[in-house]
mmCIF file of all heavy atoms in Angstrom:
data_model
loop_
_atom_site.group_PDB
_atom_site.id
_atom_site.type_symbol
_atom_site.label_atom_id
_atom_site.label_comp_id
_atom_site.label_asym_id
_atom_site.label_seq_id
_atom_site.Cartn_x
_atom_site.Cartn_y
_atom_site.Cartn_z
ATOM 1 N N MET A 42 4.984 10.556 20.340
ATOM 2 C CA MET A 42 5.141 9.725 21.535
ATOM 3 C C MET A 42 4.085 10.131 22.545
ATOM 4 O O MET A 42 4.030 11.294 22.944
ATOM 5 C CB MET A 42 6.509 9.944 22.144
ATOM 6 C CG MET A 42 7.648 9.701 21.185
ATOM 7 S SD MET A 42 9.132 9.514 22.179
ATOM 8 C CE MET A 42 10.325 10.180 21.098
ATOM 9 N N LEU A 43 3.282 9.157 22.954
ATOM 10 C CA LEU A 43 2.292 9.400 24.006
ATOM 11 C C LEU A 43 2.794 8.755 25.290
ATOM 12 O O LEU A 43 3.143 7.576 25.296
ATOM 13 C CB LEU A 43 0.938 8.796 23.619
ATOM 14 C CG LEU A 43 -0.170 8.911 24.677
ATOM 15 C CD1 LEU A 43 -0.606 10.365 24.885
ATOM 16 C CD2 LEU A 43 -1.381 8.059 24.290
ATOM 17 N N GLU A 44 2.843 9.545 26.323
ATOM 18 C CA GLU A 44 3.248 9.012 27.636
ATOM 19 C C GLU A 44 2.330 9.565 28.717
ATOM 20 O O GLU A 44 1.595 10.517 28.488
ATOM 21 C CB GLU A 44 4.711 9.378 27.954
ATOM 22 C CG GLU A 44 5.703 8.251 27.676
ATOM 23 C CD GLU A 44 5.510 7.003 28.563
ATOM 24 O OE1 GLU A 44 4.703 7.043 29.503
ATOM 25 O OE2 GLU A 44 6.164 5.982 28.294
ATOM 26 N N ILE A 45 2.377 8.954 29.878
ATOM 27 C CA ILE A 45 1.674 9.526 31.029
ATOM 28 C C ILE A 45 2.559 10.653 31.578
ATOM 29 O O ILE A 45 3.783 10.639 31.371
ATOM 30 C CB ILE A 45 1.377 8.448 32.097
ATOM 31 C CG1 ILE A 45 2.651 7.668 32.454
ATOM 32 C CG2 ILE A 45 0.304 7.495 31.603
ATOM 33 C CD1 ILE A 45 2.475 6.684 33.607
ATOM 34 N N PRO A 46 1.955 11.627 32.269
ATOM 35 C CA PRO A 46 2.733 12.806 32.670
ATOM 36 C C PRO A 46 4.062 12.500 33.369
ATOM 37 O O PRO A 46 5.083 13.125 33.016
ATOM 38 C CB PRO A 46 1.756 13.579 33.563
ATOM 39 C CG PRO A 46 0.403 13.219 33.004
ATOM 40 C CD PRO A 46 0.514 11.786 32.578
ATOM 41 N N PRO A 47 4.126 11.533 34.313
ATOM 42 C CA PRO A 47 5.424 11.336 34.980
ATOM 43 C C PRO A 47 6.530 10.828 34.053
ATOM 44 O O PRO A 47 7.710 10.884 34.416
ATOM 45 C CB PRO A 47 5.131 10.279 36.058
ATOM 46 C CG PRO A 47 3.680 10.033 36.044
ATOM 47 C CD PRO A 47 3.074 10.669 34.856
ATOM 48 N N ALA A 48 6.159 10.326 32.888
ATOM 49 C CA ALA A 48 7.179 9.767 31.982
ATOM 50 C C ALA A 48 7.456 10.672 30.782
ATOM 51 O O ALA A 48 8.261 10.320 29.913
ATOM 52 C CB ALA A 48 6.737 8.387 31.500
ATOM 53 N N VAL A 49 6.825 11.844 30.769
ATOM 54 C CA VAL A 49 7.037 12.738 29.622
ATOM 55 C C VAL A 49 8.497 13.198 29.545
ATOM 56 O O VAL A 49 9.098 13.250 28.468
ATOM 57 C CB VAL A 49 6.065 13.944 29.685
ATOM 58 C CG1 VAL A 49 6.516 15.081 28.795
ATOM 59 C CG2 VAL A 49 4.661 13.484 29.291
ATOM 60 N N LYS A 50 9.086 13.466 30.698
ATOM 61 C CA LYS A 50 10.481 13.929 30.692
ATOM 62 C C LYS A 50 11.397 12.839 30.103
ATOM 63 O O LYS A 50 12.299 13.130 29.311
ATOM 64 C CB LYS A 50 10.912 14.286 32.110
ATOM 65 C CG LYS A 50 12.247 14.977 32.156
ATOM 66 C CD LYS A 50 12.373 15.870 33.380
ATOM 67 C CE LYS A 50 13.590 16.767 33.295
ATOM 68 N NZ LYS A 50 14.819 16.157 33.673
ATOM 69 N N ALA A 51 11.141 11.609 30.489
ATOM 70 C CA ALA A 51 11.955 10.518 29.945
ATOM 71 C C ALA A 51 11.761 10.412 28.430
ATOM 72 O O ALA A 51 12.713 10.154 27.678
ATOM 73 C CB ALA A 51 11.587 9.206 30.626
ATOM 74 N N ALA A 52 10.506 10.648 27.979
ATOM 75 C CA ALA A 52 10.255 10.627 26.526
ATOM 76 C C ALA A 52 11.043 11.755 25.847
ATOM 77 O O ALA A 52 11.559 11.587 24.730
ATOM 78 C CB ALA A 52 8.761 10.762 26.243
ATOM 79 N N GLU A 53 11.138 12.871 26.527
ATOM 80 C CA GLU A 53 11.933 13.971 25.953
ATOM 81 C C GLU A 53 13.402 13.564 25.809
ATOM 82 O O GLU A 53 14.068 13.933 24.846
ATOM 83 C CB GLU A 53 11.807 15.223 26.835
ATOM 84 C CG GLU A 53 10.443 15.894 26.662
ATOM 85 C CD GLU A 53 10.118 16.955 27.725
ATOM 86 O OE1 GLU A 53 10.968 17.211 28.609
ATOM 87 O OE2 GLU A 53 9.005 17.496 27.663
ATOM 88 N N GLY A 54 13.868 12.787 26.757
ATOM 89 C CA GLY A 54 15.236 12.275 26.652
ATOM 90 C C GLY A 54 15.394 11.356 25.446
ATOM 91 O O GLY A 54 16.402 11.406 24.733
ATOM 92 N N VAL A 55 14.381 10.515 25.212
ATOM 93 C CA VAL A 55 14.424 9.630 24.034
ATOM 94 C C VAL A 55 14.459 10.484 22.767
ATOM 95 O O VAL A 55 15.226 10.223 21.824
ATOM 96 C CB VAL A 55 13.214 8.668 24.009
ATOM 97 C CG1 VAL A 55 13.241 7.800 22.760
ATOM 98 C CG2 VAL A 55 13.177 7.799 25.265
ATOM 99 N N ALA A 56 13.668 11.552 22.768
ATOM 100 C CA ALA A 56 13.632 12.437 21.587
ATOM 101 C C ALA A 56 14.996 13.094 21.361
ATOM 102 O O ALA A 56 15.436 13.248 20.211
ATOM 103 C CB ALA A 56 12.549 13.498 21.770
ATOM 104 N N MET A 57 15.661 13.461 22.449
ATOM 105 C CA MET A 57 17.003 14.054 22.296
ATOM 106 C C MET A 57 17.949 13.061 21.626
ATOM 107 O O MET A 57 18.721 13.404 20.730
ATOM 108 C CB MET A 57 17.550 14.461 23.674
ATOM 109 C CG MET A 57 16.851 15.672 24.266
ATOM 110 S SD MET A 57 17.155 15.823 26.048
ATOM 111 C CE MET A 57 18.868 16.308 26.072
ATOM 112 N N GLU A 58 17.849 11.819 22.061
ATOM 113 C CA GLU A 58 18.715 10.799 21.450
ATOM 114 C C GLU A 58 18.350 10.559 19.982
ATOM 115 O O GLU A 58 19.228 10.337 19.138
ATOM 116 C CB GLU A 58 18.597 9.489 22.226
ATOM 117 C CG GLU A 58 19.347 9.478 23.534
ATOM 118 C CD GLU A 58 19.698 8.041 23.906
ATOM 119 O OE1 GLU A 58 20.537 7.420 23.249
ATOM 120 O OE2 GLU A 58 19.067 7.534 24.856
ATOM 121 N N LEU A 59 17.045 10.598 19.712
ATOM 122 C CA LEU A 59 16.622 10.427 18.309
ATOM 123 C C LEU A 59 17.198 11.557 17.457
ATOM 124 O O LEU A 59 17.709 11.323 16.351
ATOM 125 C CB LEU A 59 15.096 10.421 18.209
ATOM 126 C CG LEU A 59 14.408 9.132 18.631
ATOM 127 C CD1 LEU A 59 12.928 9.377 18.901
ATOM 128 C CD2 LEU A 59 14.570 8.041 17.569
ATOM 129 N N ASP A 60 17.121 12.782 17.982
ATOM 130 C CA ASP A 60 17.721 13.917 17.274
ATOM 131 C C ASP A 60 19.177 13.629 16.965
ATOM 132 O O ASP A 60 19.661 13.872 15.855
ATOM 133 C CB ASP A 60 17.661 15.189 18.150
ATOM 134 C CG ASP A 60 16.296 15.851 18.112
ATOM 135 O OD1 ASP A 60 15.520 15.552 17.178
ATOM 136 O OD2 ASP A 60 16.008 16.639 19.030
ATOM 137 N N ASP A 61 19.864 13.101 17.967
ATOM 138 C CA ASP A 61 21.311 12.914 17.847
ATOM 139 C C ASP A 61 21.690 11.805 16.871
ATOM 140 O O ASP A 61 22.862 11.632 16.539
ATOM 141 C CB ASP A 61 21.913 12.617 19.234
ATOM 142 C CG ASP A 61 21.790 13.818 20.163
ATOM 143 O OD1 ASP A 61 21.446 14.913 19.678
ATOM 144 O OD2 ASP A 61 22.012 13.654 21.379
ATOM 145 N N CYS A 62 20.696 11.050 16.445
ATOM 146 C CA CYS A 62 20.969 10.036 15.415
ATOM 147 C C CYS A 62 20.937 10.655 14.016
ATOM 148 O O CYS A 62 21.395 10.036 13.049
ATOM 149 C CB CYS A 62 19.959 8.897 15.484
ATOM 150 S SG CYS A 62 20.072 7.924 16.991
#
Side-chain angles (χ1 to χ4, degrees):
M42 304 197 212
L43 177 68
E44 261 295 352
I45 52 174
V49 163
K50 189 154 191 278
E53 285 167 1
V55 178
M57 288 163 71
E58 284 205 69
L59 283 162
D60 280 342
D61 294 349
C62 294

